[in-house]
Amino acid sequence: MMVKKIENKTSLVWKMAIASAVSWEVAKLVGSEHPYLAPLSVILCLQTTIDKSIRFSLHRIVGTAIGIILTAYLVSHLHMNGWILGLLMLGGTCIAKWLRLDETVLHQVALTILLVFTFERNSKDYAMDRIIDTMIGVIIAILVHMFFFPPDYTKKAAESFQKLAHQLSDILLELSKWVQSEWRQGKGDLVEYKMNNLLQELHTTKEMLQTASQSLKFNPISKKHKIILSRYQIQMQKMNAGYEYISNIVKTLKEWEKEGILSSSDKTELGNDLKMFSEFFDDFKGIQQGEINNWKQNEQNMLVESLRSKMLLYPPPSHKVYKVSFFLETIKLLENL
């Protein structure tokens, strides 16, 4: 993960340097007396994803336009002091608020009013340069972001997904061992602790998949990775079902353990069922960048069908409330796989 962060920072460093240099030169070519305004927009508009960059850029353009329209004419007719600046900011930001614009626009309005208020007296072209250079910086920042190593978090999402699958499989295996060989040894608290970590990883993976999906918006070379992420989203439904199953089963097993009644046949049967689920989710670790191995998928299907057939042979027992609960939760999970 640290290597990935370094790679992302390296990409940002190069993008910022190249886009800033190009935007400065383009601003000079169109006659700007304040070419530094174009790189300023580049630096501000290079966000983590192309989608965020575009939205921030639009907010910056709108905020800049409102600030210039309100300030450019008045500044030459008003005395320069803090109270006048405050009134202009109040008026500009109230207009943006009245138009129900984003909070980012409010900041851009205030920033533009401050800079135009300060520099327009000394340079009559500042307001015009600001709007033109802002457009130049925004366009160049987005183009560089799109075509020069565009943001793509698909690989990170895949790594997070596989880590989640590993944790889910391990907990199911832990439950199997608990039932078969560690009954009455107080394993419930340890499993619940691991479940808390699993829940955190589940949320992390969901957020990572969402971030990866957002990073592919407006990405010109993202078609294949969009397909990959859609596969992961489908598999996440099974992960959710797996977590819900474990959560309910652990409560049942803890209560069952207090009673202490678990026959050898029940230990074998329940332990084997949990082990099969562990093997099922363990195969998810074999998914590489969304490419699901057909052999692995067939093996998963065979595991599920085998367990489903076995469950049909044993109708829900009526004499043991805990086994009934275990049976019903297992059927529920099978319906979601």
Side-chain angles (χ1 to χ4, degrees):
M1 187 63 73
M2 183 62 68
V3 172
K4 297 298 180 185
K5 287 182 178 180
I6 293 172
E7 288 177 355
N8 288 338
K9 287 180 181 179
T10 301
S11 174
L12 178 62
V13 166
W14 279 97
K15 287 180 182 180
M16 200 174 289
I18 292 171
S20 294
V22 172
S23 64
W24 178 290
E25 293 302 320
V26 172
K28 284 177 65 178
L29 284 174
V30 300
S32 173
E33 296 294 328
H34 306 84
Y36 62 86
L37 293 171
L40 176 62
S41 290
V42 167
I43 294 166
L44 293 174
C45 293
L46 279 176
Q47 302 290 309
T48 53
T49 66
I50 299 171
D51 181 47
K52 286 183 179 180
S53 292
I54 290 175
R55 282 189 278 118
F56 186 91
S57 298
L58 291 174
H59 294 158
R60 179 163 172 77
I61 290 170
V62 172
T64 299
I66 293 173
I68 288 174
I69 291 170
L70 183 67
T71 313
Y73 174 76
L74 294 176
V75 71
S76 59
H77 297 81
L78 296 173
H79 181 65
M80 187 174 179
N81 60 51
W83 303 113
I84 297 298
L85 173 63
L87 288 172
L88 288 173
M89 280 194 181
L90 181 62
T93 50
C94 281
I95 290 172
K97 182 177 179 294
W98 177 69
L99 293 173
R100 296 183 179 181
L101 298 174
D102 189 90
E103 185 178 334
T104 307
V105 178
L106 299 180
H107 289 283
Q108 295 303 320
V109 169
L111 179 62
T112 299
I113 289 173
L114 171 63
L115 295 176
V116 172
F117 186 81
T118 304
F119 294 113
E120 182 68 10
R121 291 174 182 272
N122 301 323
S123 175
K124 298 301 180 183
D125 296 325
Y126 180 83
M128 184 58 67
D129 282 352
R130 182 166 181 81
I131 190 68
I132 293 174
D133 293 349
T134 295
M135 293 290 293
I136 291 171
V138 161
I139 292 170
I140 291 175
I142 292 173
L143 289 175
V144 168
H145 218 12
M146 287 179 69
F147 296 103
F148 188 80
F149 296 111
D152 187 346
Y153 295 94
T154 305
K155 190 175 290 186
K156 285 186 178 181
E159 291 170 355
S160 182
F161 182 90
Q162 289 161 21
K163 182 179 178 182
L164 175 64
H166 176 72
Q167 287 190 11
L168 189 55
S169 175
D170 276 359
I171 290 179
L172 285 163
L173 188 60
E174 192 87 28
L175 289 175
S176 177
K177 292 178 180 177
W178 177 17
V179 169
Q180 290 188 327
S181 60
E182 297 174 338
W183 194 246
R184 303 296 299 275
Q185 293 185 20
K187 286 292 293 290
D189 293 338
L190 176 61
V191 173
E192 285 186 333
Y193 172 77
K194 290 186 176 182
M195 278 181 58
N196 290 332
N197 293 334
L198 178 65
L199 181 59
Q200 292 177 11
E201 192 62 37
L202 187 68
H203 290 317
T204 298
T205 302
K206 287 180 179 178
E207 290 173 1
M208 196 67 246
L209 284 170
Q210 185 177 2
T211 300
S213 181
Q214 290 174 348
S215 75
L216 298 182
K217 286 184 178 179
F218 306 105
N219 187 325
I221 55 174
S222 65
K223 185 176 180 180
K224 181 181 177 182
H225 284 186
K226 284 180 180 178
I227 296 172
I228 289 172
L229 287 176
S230 68
R231 291 175 179 172
Y232 279 122
Q233 294 289 1
I234 293 171
Q235 300 302 322
M236 274 302 298
Q237 296 174 13
K238 297 179 181 179
M239 293 290 195
N240 284 326
Y243 172 79
E244 185 178 345
Y245 174 73
I246 293 173
S247 179
N248 293 327
I249 287 302
V250 168
K251 294 174 186 176
T252 299
L253 290 176
K254 286 188 72 175
E255 292 298 320
W256 200 345
E257 190 177 47
K258 290 178 183 178
E259 297 290 333
I261 304 170
L262 185 61
S263 66
S264 298
S265 60
D266 284 343
K267 285 183 179 181
T268 301
E269 182 183 340
L270 272 59
N272 288 341
D273 291 349
L274 290 165
K275 193 176 295 182
M276 289 182 73
F277 281 133
S278 175
E279 292 173 7
F280 175 86
F281 286 105
D282 187 61
D283 284 340
F284 279 75
K285 292 187 297 178
I287 301 175
Q288 296 296 329
Q289 284 288 290
E291 299 295 336
I292 302 173
N293 185 293
N294 289 331
W295 180 82
K296 284 288 187 184
Q297 195 168 31
N298 290 336
E299 191 177 67
Q300 285 180 315
N301 293 336
M302 288 174 62
L303 280 171
V304 171
E305 287 304 320
S306 172
L307 187 52
R308 187 178 285 122
S309 299
K310 194 188 83 169
M311 296 299 288
L312 291 174
L313 294 174
Y314 299 98
S318 58
H319 60 288
K320 290 183 178 178
V321 66
Y322 301 119
K323 195 168 183 181
V324 170
S325 177
F326 188 92
F327 175 89
L328 293 176
E329 290 298 335
T330 301
I331 289 294
K332 182 179 176 182
L333 177 58
L334 286 170
E335 289 174 350
N336 290 310
L337 296 181

